[in-house]
C-alpha cells in the first residue's frame, strides 16, 4: 500500500485510464484464481517478467507502457485458455472501464489498485452523488447502472475482507430504489439479507426477484432464493414447493438445451436444495437419492473441466450433503470417506483463493462436518484438530464482518462441536466455556430478526446441550436454568408451527432432561408429572399416525422414563407394566425392520429396563432372560459396525448389567467372563481416546469390578497401579483422587483365603 505522500503524488499526476484498467484486471481475484488453476509454464514465466517490470517501473528504470502491455497480454492469454475466467473477467472489465471513463473515476481506480479499496469506493460514492444531484429524476436508471458496477466492486472488497455485509447491503438497497426492475439486483440483495439474518427483508427481496424475472431461468433462480429463506424460517413445506417449481422449470430447460452446461448446473442445484429439505423432513432415502444424482452430475462436469474451481466446489458441496445423509443412516465409514475427499478439494480451492471469505467458510464447514464423524468414531484427537482449525477460521470471518448473522452462527456451531469433543475427553470446564461462548454468538444472530427461526432454534438447542454439560459437572441448579431457558425457546418455536412433529419432539426431549434433573434433586413427583405428560402426548401422536416410526420410538422412550421413576418411588408393579409395554412396542418395531440397528438398540434398552424391574421384584430368571437377549443383540450390533463407539459403549454397559446379575446369583465365573469382556472394550476406547479422563475412569471402574471377585485375576493393587500411571497423562478430578484413595485402602487390606 502506498504512503499518503505517494497517494498525493499519484493524484497530482495525470492518471492513464488504460494503465489503471490493465492493473485492475491483472490484480483481480478472478485473475489470481485462474492463474492458480493454470498449469501453463509460459504463463508462469510471463508472470515473473511482469513482476520484474513492476519493480523496474517503480524504480523509474522502465516506462509504464511496457508494463501495461505485458499485463494486457497476460490477461488476454489467460482468458484464451480458461473459458470461465474469460466470461468473469469480461464482466469485471466492463465495470472498471466505465469507472475509468472520467479523470476522477480513473484516479479513484488508481487508488483501488494501490490498495486503498475503501478510500477508492468512498471517492466513487462522492463522485456519483455529485453527478446525481445534477441529473434529472429520469436519469435514475443510469445512476443505478453506475451504482451497480460500484456495488460489484464492493462485493469484491467484501470477499477480500475489506468491508462488511452491511456496507454492501446499503449499496444494493440504493440501486434497487433507483431501478427496481433488475432481477439480479434483488437476487444479490436476498442473499446479502440472508447473510445478515434479516429474513423478513430477504423474503421481500426474493419475492421481487420472482416478480422482476425476465425469463424462466430468472424466475427459477428467484424461487430458489425464496425457498432458501423459507428453510431458514423453518417453513419446509413452502421451501419444497418453491424448489419443486424451480426444478420443473430447469428440467424442461435442460431437456431443450442438452448442450448447455448452465442448464444442467441449474438442475443439479435444484436437486441439492430438494435433498436438503427432504433430509430435514426425515426422508433420508429420498434425500440420498437426490444428492447422489447431483453428485454424479457434478463429477461429470468436473471431469470435463478439471481446471474449473467452480466445478470442483460443486463436487465438494454434494459430497457434504451425501455424507450428512450417510451419517444420519449410521454409515459412518462412507460419510468419513466422502468428507475426507471433500476437505482435500476445499483445501485446493482455498489455496487458489486464500483471501475469499466464501472459500474460507467452505473450509470451516467442511472441517466441522469431518470432525463430527470422527468424534462419532471415537477419533477424538483427530476431531479436536479439525475443530480447532475450523474455530480459527470462524473467528477470523466473524471478526472481519461483525454484522453478519451467518458468521455468528458459523462461529457458534463450531464452538458447539468443540464443546462436544471436550466433554467426551472429560474436559467439562472447557466444554462449558465453549458452549457458553456459543450461546453468546447464537444470541447475537438471533437478535437480528425475530423471524430468524434457525438462529432461535440453534440457540435453544445449544442451551439444552450446555445444560447437559453443566449437569455432568454436578451443578443441578445451573443445569435446570439452562434446560428451562432452552425449553422456553423451543416451546415458542413449536407454538409458531403446530404441524411440526420435529419441533414438538425437541420440546419433549428437553423437558425429559429437565425431569432427569428433578429426579437427581429428589423431586420424584414433579419428574413423574412431566414424564407422564410427555407420555400422554406421545400416545396421541401415535394414535394420529400409527405407522410413524418416530412416534413409536418416542412412546418406548417415554414408557421407560415413567417406569424408571415409578421404580424409584417403589411402585415396582406399575413400573413392570410400563416396561412390558415398551418391550412389546420395541419388539414389533425390530421385527418390522430387521435391518434397523436403531430399532434393535431400542429393544435392548427396553429389555434391560424390564429385566432390572424383574430383578428388583426377585424374579431373577426373567431378569437373566431379558439381559441375555439384550446382550446377544448388542454383540451383533457391535460386530456389524466395528467403527461405532456407541455400539461398543452399549455392549460394555450390557456386559456390566449381566455380570451384576450373575454376581447376585452366585455365578462368579460367568460374572468374571462378562466383566473381563467389558474391560477389554474399555481399554480399547482408552487407547483410541488418549487424554480422556472418562475413558481412564471407565477402565479403572471395570478393573475394580473384577478386583471385587476373588481370584478373578485383577487385584486392588492393579487398579491403584493403573490410576497412578495415568495421573500424569490425564487430569483426574477430586472425585477420581478420592476413589483412588479407596482403592489404596482396599489394596492394603489382607487378601482373604490367599486369593490374589
Amino acid at each position: 500500500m502506498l504512503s499518503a505522500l505517494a497517494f498525493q503524488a499519484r493524484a497530482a499526476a495525470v492518471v492513464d485510464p488504460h494503465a489503471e484498467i490493465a492493473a485492475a484486471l491483472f490484480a483481480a481475484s478472478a485473475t489470481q484464481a485462474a492463474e492458480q488453476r493454470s498449469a501453463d509454464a509460459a504463463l508462469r514465466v510471463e508472470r515473473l517478467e511482469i513482476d520484474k517490470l513492476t519493480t523496474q517501473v517503480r524504480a523509474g528504470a522502465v516506462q509504464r507502457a511496457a508494463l501495461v502491455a505485458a499485463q494486457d497480454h497476460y490477461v488476454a492469454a489467460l482468458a484464451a485458455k480458461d473459458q470461465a475466467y474469460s466470461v468473469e473477467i469480461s464482466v469485471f472489465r466492463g465495470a472498471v472501464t466505465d469507472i475509468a471513463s472520467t479523470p476522477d473515476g480513473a484516479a479513484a481506480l488508481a487508488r483501488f489498485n494501490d490498495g486503498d479499496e475503501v478510500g477508492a469506493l468512498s471517492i466513487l460514492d462522492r463522485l456519483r452523488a455529485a453527478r446525481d444531484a445534477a441529473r434529472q429524476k429520469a436519469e435514475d436508471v443510469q445512476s443505478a447502472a453506475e451504482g451497480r458496477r460500484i456495488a460489484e466492486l464492493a462485493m469484491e472488497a467484501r470477499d477480500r475482507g475489506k468491508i462488511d455485509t452491511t456496507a454492501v447491503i446499503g449499496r444494493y438497497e440504493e440501486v434497487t430504489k433507483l431501478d427496481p426492475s433488475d432481477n439480479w439486483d434483488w437476487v444479490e440483495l436476498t442473499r446479502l439479507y440472508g447473510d445478515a439474518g434479516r429474513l423478513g427483508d430477504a423474503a421481500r427481496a426474493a419475492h421481487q426477484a420472482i416478480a422482476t424475472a425476465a425469463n424462466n431461468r430468472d424466475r427459477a433462480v428467484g424461487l430458489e432464493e425464496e425457498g432458501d429463506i423459507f428453510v431458514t424460517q423453518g417453513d419446509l413445506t413452502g421451501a419444497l414447493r418453491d424448489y419443486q417449481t424451480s426444478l420443473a422449470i430447469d428440467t424442461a430447460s435442460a431437456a431443450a438445451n442438452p448442450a448447455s452446461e448452465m442448464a444442467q448446473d441449474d438442475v443439479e442445484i435444484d436437486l441439492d436444495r430438494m435433498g436438503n429439505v427432504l433430509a430435514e423432513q426425515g426422508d433420508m432415502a429420498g434425500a440420498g437419492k437426490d444428492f447422489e444424482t447431483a453428485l454424479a452430475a457434478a463429477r461429470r462436469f468436473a471431469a470435463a473441466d478439471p481446471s474449473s474451481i467452480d466445478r470442483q466446489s460443486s463436487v465438494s458441496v454434494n459430497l457434504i450433503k451425501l455424507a450428512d445423509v450417510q451419517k444420519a443412516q449410521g454409515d459412518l465409514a462412507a460419510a468419513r470417506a466422502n468428507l475426507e475427499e471433500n476437505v482435500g478439494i476445499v483445501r485446493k480451492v482455498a489455496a487458489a483463493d486464500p483471501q475469499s471469505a466464501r472459500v474460507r467458510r467452505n473450509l470451516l464447514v467442511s472441517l466441522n462436518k469431518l470432525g463430527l464423524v470422527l468424534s462419532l468414531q471415537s477419533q477424538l484427537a483427530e476431531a479436536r484438530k479439525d475443530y480447532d482449525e475450523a474455530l480459527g477460521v470462524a473467528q477470523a470471518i466473524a471478526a472481519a464482518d461483525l454484522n453478519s448473522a451467518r458468521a455468528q452462527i458459523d462461529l457458534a456451531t463450531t464452538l458447539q462441536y468443540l464443546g462436544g469433543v471436550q466433554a467426551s475427553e472429560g474436559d467439562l470446564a472447557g466444554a462449558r466455556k465453549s458452549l457458553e461462548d456459543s450461546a453468546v454468538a447464537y444470541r447475537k444472530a438471533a437478535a437480528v430478526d425475530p423471524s430468524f427461526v434457525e438462529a432461535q432454534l440453534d440457540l435453544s438447542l445449544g442451551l439444552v446441550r450446555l445444560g447437559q454439560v453443566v449437569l455432568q459437572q454436578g451443578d443441578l441448579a445451573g443445569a435446570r436454568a439452562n434446560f428451562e431457558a432452552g425449553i422456553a425457546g423451543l416451546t415458542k418455536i413449536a407454538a409458531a408451527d403446530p404441524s411440526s412433529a420435529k419441533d414438538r419432539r425437541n420440546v419433549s426431549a428437553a423437558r425429559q432432561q429437565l425431569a432427569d434433573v428433578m429426579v437427581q434433586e429428589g423431586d420424584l413427583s414433579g419428574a413423574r408429572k412431566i414424564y407422564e405428560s410427555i407420555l400422554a402426548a406421545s400416545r396421541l401422536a401415535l394414535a394420529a399416525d400409527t405407522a410413524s416410526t418416530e412416534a413409536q420410538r418416542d412412546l418406548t422412550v417415554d414408557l421407560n422414563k415413567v417406569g424408571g421413576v415409578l421404580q424409584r418411588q417403589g411402585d415396582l408393579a406399575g413400573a413392570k407394566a410400563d416396561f412390558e409395554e415398551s418391550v412389546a412396542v420395541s419388539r414389533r418395531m425390530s421385527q418390522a425392520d430387521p435391518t434397523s440397528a436403531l430399532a434393535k438398540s431400542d429393544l435392548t434398552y427396553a429389555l434391560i429396563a424390564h429385566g432390572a424391574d424383574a430383578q428388583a421384584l426377585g424374579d431373577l430368571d426373567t431378569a437373566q432372560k431379558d439381559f441375555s437377549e439384550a446382550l446377544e443383540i448388542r454383540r451383533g450390533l457391535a460386530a456389524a459396525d466395528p467403527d461405532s463407539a456407541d455400539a461398543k459403549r452399549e455392549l460394555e454397559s450390557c456386559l456390566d448389567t449381566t455380570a451384576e446379575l450373575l454376581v447376585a446369583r452366585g455365578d462368579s465365573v460367568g460374572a468374571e467372563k462378562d466383566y473381563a469382556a467389558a474391560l477389554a472394550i474399555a481399554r480399547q476406547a482408552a487407547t483410541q481416546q488418549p487424554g480422556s479422563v472418562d475413558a481412564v475412569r471407565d477402565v479403572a471402574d471395570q478393573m475394580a469390578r473384577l478386583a471385587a471377585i476373588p481370584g478373578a485375576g485383577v487385584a486392588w493393587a492393579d487398579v491403584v497401579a493403573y490410576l497412578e500411571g495415568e495421573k500424569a497423562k490425564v487430569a483426574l478430578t477430586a472425585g477420581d483422587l478420592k476413589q483412588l484413595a479407596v482403592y489404596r485402602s482396599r489394596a492394603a487390606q489382607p487378601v482373604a483365603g490367599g486369593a490374589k
Side-chain angles (χ1 to χ4, degrees):
M1 184 176 291
L2 295 183
S3 66
L5 291 176
F7 271 133
Q8 291 173 6
R10 287 292 298 274
V14 176
V15 175
D16 180 356
H18 179 196
E20 298 306 332
I21 292 169
L25 297 177
F26 179 76
S29 60
T31 303
Q32 295 174 28
E35 182 182 77
Q36 292 290 331
R37 298 194 295 268
S38 174
D40 193 308
L43 282 174
R44 288 199 297 271
V45 172
E46 192 171 347
R47 172 74 189 210
L48 293 174
E49 288 298 320
I50 291 172
D51 291 341
K52 186 186 299 181
L53 277 173
T54 300
T55 302
Q56 292 172 341
V57 167
R58 288 174 177 170
V62 174
Q63 293 295 316
R64 194 180 183 192
L67 174 60
V68 172
Q71 291 172 330
D72 281 341
H73 182 271
Y74 182 84
V75 170
L78 192 56
K81 296 177 180 296
D82 189 330
Q83 183 180 2
Y85 168 69
S86 176
V87 173
E88 188 174 2
I89 203 66
S90 175
V91 173
F92 192 61
R93 183 192 296 276
V96 296
T97 299
D98 190 75
I99 287 172
S101 63
T102 67
D104 288 337
L109 185 58
R111 293 190 69 167
F112 193 92
N113 289 335
D114 287 332
D116 184 17
E117 292 94 340
V118 175
L121 292 172
S122 177
I123 292 172
L124 291 169
D125 287 338
R126 293 197 300 271
L127 290 173
R128 185 168 63 86
R131 291 168 186 157
D132 282 348
R135 290 184 183 126
Q136 299 293 323
K137 195 168 184 177
E139 295 175 335
D140 280 353
V141 171
Q142 180 181 346
S143 175
E146 188 176 358
R148 186 176 299 114
R149 289 188 288 272
I150 298 174
E152 290 169 2
L153 270 179
M155 288 283 276
E156 175 85 4
R158 173 184 180 249
D159 201 40
R160 296 181 187 182
K162 298 296 180 74
I163 59 177
D164 67 10
T165 300
T166 300
V168 187
I169 285 175
R171 297 179 183 283
Y172 274 102
E173 284 178 334
E174 188 177 6
V175 169
T176 54
K177 286 178 183 177
L178 292 168
D179 180 11
S181 66
D182 190 286
N183 162 266
W184 198 254
D185 289 340
W186 291 110
V187 170
E188 294 284 22
L189 198 49
T190 301
R191 294 172 179 173
L192 289 164
Y193 281 143
D195 282 348
R198 294 167 56 180
L199 301 189
D201 291 332
R204 286 186 286 274
H207 181 75
Q208 286 298 109
I210 297 170
T212 57
N215 51 54
N216 278 339
R217 185 176 187 276
D218 286 350
R219 182 166 180 267
V221 171
L223 286 165
E224 289 171 354
E225 297 300 325
E226 184 179 65
D228 290 350
I229 300 304
F230 281 149
V231 169
T232 309
Q233 291 177 319
D235 183 1
L236 299 182
T237 301
L240 189 59
R241 180 183 63 245
D242 278 353
Y243 293 154
Q244 288 172 333
T245 305
S246 178
L247 178 62
I249 294 170
D250 291 336
T251 300
S253 177
N257 304 281
S260 169
E261 289 188 0
M262 179 182 290
Q264 307 303 323
D265 281 347
D266 289 342
V267 173
E268 177 200 328
I269 291 168
D270 291 327
L271 288 168
D272 266 343
R273 285 174 158 89
M274 286 184 59
N276 289 339
V277 173
L278 291 173
E280 281 292 315
Q281 291 179 326
D283 183 3
M284 293 300 167
K289 182 179 178 181
D290 282 348
F291 291 146
E292 285 173 351
T293 303
L295 177 59
R299 288 194 189 280
R300 288 197 305 272
F301 297 145
D305 188 4
S307 64
S308 170
I309 293 296
D310 287 340
R311 295 300 184 195
Q312 295 297 325
S313 296
S314 182
V315 173
S316 168
V317 167
N318 284 289
L319 283 167
I320 289 177
K321 302 291 180 60
L322 182 57
D324 283 344
V325 170
Q326 291 166 331
K327 176 174 68 65
Q329 292 175 321
D331 191 353
L332 298 182
R336 178 175 177 176
N338 282 329
L339 290 171
E340 286 176 338
E341 179 185 354
N342 164 64
V343 169
I345 293 172
V346 175
R347 287 196 188 281
K348 289 180 182 178
V349 175
D353 192 3
Q355 293 188 348
S356 170
R358 176 179 58 82
V359 172
R360 285 182 288 134
R361 181 179 186 270
N362 290 343
L363 177 59
L364 84 87
V365 170
S366 299
L367 289 167
N368 279 339
K369 296 283 187 181
L370 178 57
L372 181 56
V373 170
L374 289 169
S375 66
L376 291 173
Q377 292 183 317
S378 293
Q379 303 295 314
L380 299 184
E382 291 298 314
R384 176 69 178 267
K385 181 179 177 183
D386 286 339
Y387 290 150
D388 284 339
E389 182 180 355
L391 181 59
V393 177
Q395 288 171 330
I397 293 175
D401 195 350
L402 297 176
N403 293 306
S404 171
R406 177 57 54 194
Q408 291 297 326
I409 287 179
D410 287 341
L411 174 59
T413 301
T414 304
L415 286 163
Q416 283 278 314
Y417 287 141
L418 177 60
V421 166
Q422 288 170 317
S424 296
E425 291 176 330
D427 180 10
L428 297 182
R432 181 170 184 169
K433 176 66 166 56
S434 293
L435 295 177
E436 286 172 343
D437 290 346
S438 173
V440 171
Y442 276 138
R443 284 192 178 96
K444 288 181 181 178
V448 175
D449 188 333
S451 72
F452 201 166
V453 176
E454 178 187 351
Q456 302 286 349
L457 177 61
D458 287 344
L459 171 60
S460 300
L461 292 174
L463 288 169
V464 173
R465 295 189 193 100
L466 175 58
Q468 293 167 353
V469 170
V470 173
L471 181 60
Q472 285 181 271
Q473 289 183 307
D475 181 358
L476 298 183
R480 175 190 274 268
N482 282 296
F483 287 144
E484 288 175 342
I487 290 168
L490 293 171
T491 301
K492 183 178 179 181
I493 292 168
D497 185 6
S499 66
S500 173
K502 184 176 181 180
D503 289 341
R504 291 197 301 274
R505 293 180 76 246
N506 284 335
V507 174
S508 293
R511 291 184 68 217
Q512 277 184 351
Q513 294 186 75
L514 175 60
D516 291 345
V517 172
M518 296 169 71
V519 168
Q520 292 194 41
E521 291 175 330
D523 183 6
L524 298 182
S525 297
R528 178 176 174 178
K529 186 179 295 185
I530 293 176
Y531 290 145
E532 288 179 338
S533 70
I534 296 172
L535 175 59
S538 293
R539 290 193 188 281
L540 289 174
L542 183 56
D545 185 2
T546 56
S548 170
T549 301
E550 279 190 344
Q552 294 179 71
R553 185 166 189 265
D554 287 345
L555 179 62
T556 64
V557 172
D558 299 338
L559 285 165
N560 289 339
K561 288 289 186 181
V562 173
V565 78
L566 288 174
Q567 257 187 349
R568 285 175 174 267
Q569 289 181 316
D571 185 0
L572 299 181
K576 179 182 178 181
D578 286 329
F579 292 142
E580 284 177 343
E581 183 180 358
S582 177
V583 169
V585 175
S586 298
R587 197 180 295 284
R588 286 198 301 270
M589 292 177 66
S590 182
Q591 291 170 345
D593 186 2
T595 64
S596 172
L598 183 59
K600 291 177 182 178
S601 179
D602 287 344
L603 176 56
T604 65
Y605 279 110
L607 286 166
I608 290 169
H610 183 262
D613 193 68
Q615 184 176 357
L617 287 167
D619 185 357
L620 301 188
D621 289 339
T622 296
Q624 186 159 346
K625 179 176 176 294
D626 287 341
F627 294 160
S628 296
E629 182 181 355
L631 181 58
E632 188 64 24
I633 294 171
R634 287 190 174 177
R635 280 196 173 113
L637 292 172
D641 191 0
D643 292 329
S644 171
D646 286 341
K648 291 175 184 175
R649 278 193 292 267
E650 288 182 348
L651 175 57
E652 180 187 349
S653 175
C654 197
L655 285 163
D656 285 341
T657 300
T658 56
E660 288 169 8
L661 177 61
L662 291 172
V663 168
R665 305 198 78 172
D667 184 358
S668 60
V669 174
E672 178 186 348
K673 180 181 176 182
D674 285 345
Y675 279 142
L679 175 59
I681 295 172
R683 287 193 185 281
Q684 183 183 25
T687 301
Q688 293 173 341
Q689 302 173 42
S692 169
V693 68
D694 283 343
V696 168
R697 187 182 299 124
D698 192 23
V699 171
D701 287 346
Q702 295 295 355
M703 292 179 70
R705 293 184 179 104
L706 280 167
I709 300 177
V714 175
W716 292 112
D718 297 328
V719 187
V720 172
Y722 172 74
L723 284 174
E724 289 287 0
E726 295 297 318
K727 278 172 59 178
K729 304 174 188 177
V730 299
L732 295 180
T733 66
D736 295 326
L737 296 175
K738 184 177 180 180
Q739 189 61 48
L740 176 56
V742 173
Y743 295 150
R744 285 200 192 98
S745 175
R746 292 177 181 174
Q749 294 175 4
V751 179
K756 180 178 177 181

